[in-house]
Amino acid sequence: MGEKRKIELDYSQLDSERMRLNVGPQHPSTHGVLRLEVELDGEIVTDVIPHVGYLHRCFEKHCEKMEYPMVTPYIDRLDYISSMNNEWPFIMGVEQMMGIKVPEKVEYLRVIVSELNRIANHQIAIATFGLDAGAFTPLLWLFRDREMILAILEKLSGGRLLYNYFRVGGMAADIYPTFKEDVLAAISQVRKTNPEILNLLLLNKIFIDRTASVGILPADVAINYGCTGPMLRGSGVPYDLRRTEPYSIYDRFDFEVQIGKGEVGTVGDCWDRNIVRYREIEQSCNIIEQAINQMPMEGDVKEAFPKKVRPPKGEIYCKAENPKGELGFYIVSDGKNNPERVKCRSTSFVNLSVLPEISKGYMFADLIMILGSIDIVLGEVDR
Amino acid sequence: MLNYFKNMWLGVYTVLVGLRLTLIHLFSRNVTVQYPDERYPIPPNARNRLYLDPELCDACLRCAKACPVNCISIESLRAVPGLTPPLKNGDKRNLWVTHYEIDFAKCCFCGLCTEPCPTNAINTTTEFEYSTTKREDLIYTFVKMSDEEKKEKEEQLAIYQAEQKKKKAAEAEAKAKAEAEAKTKAVNETKNDN
Amino acid sequence: MEQNFVNMLIENPWIAALIIVVIPLVFVVIYALIAILGELKIASFVQERLGPMRTGWKGTMQPVAEVVKLLQKEDITPDAADKPLFNLAPFLMFAAAFAGFAVIPFSPYFLPAGIELGLFYVFAIGSLGVIGLVMGGWASNNKYSLLGAMRSVAQIVSYEIPAAIAILSIATLSGSLNLNVISDNQSGWFWNWYIFGGPGPWWKILVIPFTLGLGLIYLISTLAETNRTPFDIPEGESEIVAGYHTEYSGMKFAMFFFAEYANMFIVAAILMLLFFGGWNSPFGDFLNQWWMQPVWFILKAFFWVFLTIWLRWTLPRLRVDQLMYMSWKVLLPWGFVCFFAVSLFVMLK
């Protein structure tokens, strides 16, 4: 059923009362404390108004009172599914302001932990998306694999979810002896489970029917709203900061930027966004494999630590490719121990803003699928 | 029409593929860890509950300053040199810790407090099962000096400070005396010269 | 044929009737507990978990614990609800589901109410359940419940038509509406089952594809009628929280639960009676004694339960319009084709 399934109705002809439905903040599939005010005509969504802010924790104001190293635990709690990736742009920005060159080993270690965390994030994204569609089993299979990745990251940093692992000029702790074997084992497990998930969920006819040609996000709309990450790539725009503006050492790795091609429906539908995530897991596996083989195993990860983290007066915008899209921090320093101002360009918030645009005219069940395909984390939306 | 049959075939086929997969997994190994009986291995560097070794703490306040959530509160008293035993690692003890408590309801388990500690007194442990029914129970007091002891220490300090003051005063007096003497001497000398 | 062994044993008709009523009731409760346990355990094994392990040996007492928990829970009636309807709905639904047991022959010697129009009756009474469902959804005065009830009614009404056609075909094939007679017709080896064309001459092979198709159509329809995945949209938890029973708690929720499981057993029993030989042993006279026949019957019904659980943990959920598409554009036309073929076969035979 590849045809466009957007339902057009001439409401002037129908004299029916519309229903305003309040979805959330406590609802099984709003992925947190998001509240949606939905206007329904029967089962068809005529309007969606997202209300955010239930998890607002004054992140940016907090940063002004914190010294630079004390900000990282707060950054972990933005997008708590992919903490490693979150820490990177902030730490990288401070390092660039201070002119610190981190050792080679640290760069490789950062790439590896970030890509591992990207896999974990995409696994959760696919799993919860499947859960929104009613498929429960892929969720637990993916969580089983994610457990291996979390175990590696826990052994490295000491935390299971909130790592606080990046430091200005290096990492908090060195690798442990069996690190390489663990990473390779985790990758092979991920590669083993991936086809199963593809067959059980992503290629299932019911799942395709639910997601193909639903929530179509054209490329121009995506760019206008500032969507990034799998949202934008699902619409067919090959924009990946790791490739377009390679930061750190991403120019050394061989990987393909995945874009949605509309194989089962239209370019930019929910299925495309999800298959982009699925294929990015494979690409991340490739990157990790290359990185772990090139990585120097000797060396001190703490050798470039500055004595005092005190960037000179100035400002910087530093961005990195988060699993969910472009995460950027605008840091203004006035030469003191704490930043004068930090602005966070949080990915989920920007991506969520497109929801009202793309969900009108679909059915209520589709709205849930569209919301699931955006892959939001409310910690990042509300900050 | 062709699409209709194709969809029907795909529907049946993919459902069968899925059923086959779940049937295989039905008879495969289970990964559940039966939590209280068996446990998931916790790495030794896991950042769970903090532990403070009171014998190593010198109340330098670096941990309290590094804490992003201000969950560590420390009160201290100056130690009297000579009367004070050194720290466990042999370093000189400058301050007595009279009160050291960590509020684990506030703690965010970032581990930043352990990094600046000069004596490794504060450490993360692998202990994570300490849930309670009251918030007050989450405030852990690692050092609490008894009132008598505190009083004793304060008295010692007061004596010491008084001694120091006296000493200082005596020194100052002696100095002043010496100066005065020198002055008078000089005056006398000039007188004598005249 | 003897209709009921209880009537033979007990003289007093009133006591006999009471016993006849109590037997299926006890059976439904035990069956529901076993089905819940199967649901929990199969789900967890598919997902590589262990499932409940703490209650009883390997968690086997978990369903009992859950029922006890539900009974202890506070029975909340929302302020804005229409109270009489709200309180009536779960019991109506259970009554409708339980009334179906009147014509289910567990064995040739136990048919609670020996009426000739058993198939017709069970179909008619089964449709009553939907009234309880929409009653509950409407009386809750909750938008999610209302949406769930709306979806549910649309779904069950649509899927009753393909199911009815499948049943009609078998009625044509067997020439009877008495479930005991239909079951008796299929005695012998398993190739005498109606899913394999029923007893007949060798050229009944020609009709086997159509009877197989009818079996599949009826199976899919039963999934939809009992709100099982992939047709569980009336209670699609990711969309409309819990559908029509969002506002129910405690005993009333348990009644909905039991009604659902009783309904599941009814449709499984009908499927087994019509297509899979009912209480007959699949291997001719092997283990076909009077005491083995109910066991065969229950075992076959549990196979259906296993199938639905297996499907539930494999498939995602359909959308409302796809559900309708499936019913009206796929199952109904093919049902008519099969019905036509079967009728032709009966005429030629």
Side-chain angles (χ1 to χ4, degrees), chain C residues 27 86 100 182:
Chain C
F27 173 75
F86 185 82
I182 293 174

Side-chain angles (χ1 to χ4, degrees), chain A residues 20 29 43 137 144 366, chain C residues 48 143 151 238 313 319:
Chain A
R20 290 198 91 80
S29 58
E43 284 259 351
T137 305
R144 180 200 61 202
D366 291 335
Chain C
E48 307 203 344
K143 287 170 182 172
R151 287 177 173 195
S238 63
W313 300 107
R319 201 173 51 206

Side-chain angles (χ1 to χ4, degrees), chain A residues 52-72:
Chain A
V52 299
Y54 288 90
L55 206 58
H56 183 52
R57 288 154 301 171
C58 309
F59 164 71
E60 290 170 7
K61 191 68 192 167
H62 266 310
C63 291
E64 295 171 20
K65 297 288 166 204
M66 298 285 161
E67 289 174 21
Y68 285 94
M70 287 149 74
V71 175
T72 33

